[in-house]
């Protein structure tokens, strides 16, 4: 079972607040389509609200507390398990959920005594994303990547007339997750436009390539049996071992 989780939050002047919801839903449906002849994969409705306090100053944003988010996911996972499904992958579409999901899945696995995993779709295809984009090395926010994917998935919701405004400072998602000394930072301290990156050279073709790459990366991992048939952390070779 794929259970997509997202966020409803501002995405600059040119995109709707439901970007994360729409994109992770699209990717999960593509994954199911790629695997349908090999694995029995079902996609649940997407959890449209997540942890987005850092976007609240821009408006158009909903955000949950960590405790509420845990209880919501616990009850949804319990419902999935009681319906007869045996394995759950929480497929995430919002960077602000990543740290919380890492902790939550540990507690959910213990409390529900069931195999529950998590994946962030755009992190699973980082190399492919970098090779497709022209102006940035990876997905940022309301940027070349997200705007292109929305042009492919929901083109009627992209305001092309405001693409010229859709630019802001670069934001390194990976670096933001490294556990060094950090404090909470509102997104308005990062960008005045609500955009991180540059959406001006976005295109539908790029978006289709990005969505396909992300779906293929996740599908390939599941096809190989990940994360169920491999240890979560590969062992470190001992001295003298190849």
């Amino acid at each position: 079972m794929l259970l997509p989780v997202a966020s409803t939050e501002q995405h600059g002047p040119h995109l709707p607040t439901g970007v994360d919801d729409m994109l992770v839903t699209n990717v999960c449906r593509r994954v199911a389509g790629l695997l349908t002849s090999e694995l029995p994969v079902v996609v649940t409705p997407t959890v449209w609200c997540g942890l987005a306090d850092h976007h609240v100053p821009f408006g158009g944003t909903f955000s949950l507390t960590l405790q509420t988010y845990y209880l919501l996911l616990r009850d949804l996972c319990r419902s999935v398990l009681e319906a007869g499904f045996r394995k759950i992958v929480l497929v995430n579409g919002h960077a602000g959920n990543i740290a919380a999901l890492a902790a939550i899945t540990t507690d959910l696995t213990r409390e529900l005594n069931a195999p529950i995993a998590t994946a962030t779709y755009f992190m699973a295809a980082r190399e492919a994303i970098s090779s497709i984009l022209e102006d940035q090395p990876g997905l940022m926010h309301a940027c070349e990547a997200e705007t292109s994917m929305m042009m492919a998935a929901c083109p009627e919701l992209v305001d092309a007339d405001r693409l010229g405004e859709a630019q802001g400072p670069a934001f390194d998602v990976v670096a933001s997750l490294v556990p060094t000394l950090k404090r909470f930072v509102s997104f308005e301290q990062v960008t005045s436009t609500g955009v991180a990156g540059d959406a001006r050279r976005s295109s539908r073709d790029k978006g289709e390539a990005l969505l396909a790459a992300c779906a293929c990366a996740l599908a390939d991992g599941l096809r190989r049996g990940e994360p169920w048939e491999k240890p979560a952390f590969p062992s470190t070779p001992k001295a003298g071992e190849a």
Side-chain angles (χ1 to χ4, degrees), residues 27 78-79 85 95 102 124 141 159 171 207 215:
V27 170
R78 179 184 289 126
S79 297
F85 294 92
H141 184 76
D159 188 346
F171 178 73

Side-chain angles (χ1 to χ4, degrees), residues 31 75 90 96 128 144 190 194-195 206-207 209 223-224:
V31 171
D75 289 352
L90 302 172
E144 181 186 0
V190 176
V195 178
K206 283 182 190 174
R223 189 181 286 116
R224 291 191 296 267

Side-chain angles (χ1 to χ4, degrees), residues 11-178:
H11 274 80
H14 62 303
L15 295 177
T17 59
V19 166
D20 293 350
D21 183 338
M22 297 170 197
L23 294 183
V24 73
T25 300
N26 186 287
V27 170
C28 284
R29 289 175 178 172
R30 287 170 182 253
V31 171
L34 291 169
L35 295 176
T36 187
S37 63
E38 307 165 57
L39 297 171
V41 176
V42 175
V43 181
T44 73
T46 299
V47 179
W48 57 265
C49 193
L51 306 183
D53 277 9
H54 51 304
H55 287 286
V56 167
F58 284 100
T61 298
F62 290 90
S63 188
L64 302 174
T65 64
L66 181 59
Q67 181 182 19
T68 299
Y69 195 46
Y70 172 76
L71 293 174
L72 172 62
L73 293 180
R74 183 198 65 185
D75 289 352
L76 292 176
C77 287
R78 179 184 289 126
S79 297
V80 168
L81 295 168
E82 290 179 349
F85 294 92
R86 294 178 297 134
K87 298 174 181 176
I88 301 171
V89 181
L90 302 172
V91 182
N92 176 44
H94 169 55
N97 291 338
I98 293 175
L101 287 170
I104 285 173
T105 51
T106 299
D107 285 351
L108 288 178
T109 299
R110 180 176 60 246
E111 183 172 349
L112 299 177
N113 192 30
I116 298 172
T118 186
T120 297
Y121 79 85
F122 51 84
M123 298 293 281
R126 286 168 53 199
E127 290 186 8
I129 289 173
S130 179
S131 70
I132 294 166
L133 299 176
E134 296 180 83
D135 292 330
Q136 51 192 74
L139 187 142
M140 294 182 186
H141 184 76
C143 56
E144 181 186 0
E146 286 193 322
T147 303
S148 293
M149 288 189 285
M150 284 296 292
M151 286 177 170
C154 306
E156 72 282 3
L157 298 180
V158 180
D159 188 346
D161 292 337
R162 302 197 68 179
L163 278 178
E165 306 168 51
Q167 54 184 307
F171 178 73
D172 190 331
V173 173
V174 176
S176 74
L177 299 170
V178 176

Side-chain angles (χ1 to χ4, degrees), residues 35 39 87 89 117 218-231:
L35 295 176
L39 297 171
K87 298 174 181 176
V89 181
L218 186 52
D220 287 346
L222 293 171
R223 189 181 286 116
R224 291 191 296 267
E226 298 173 4
W228 322 113
E229 296 178 11
K230 293 185 178 182

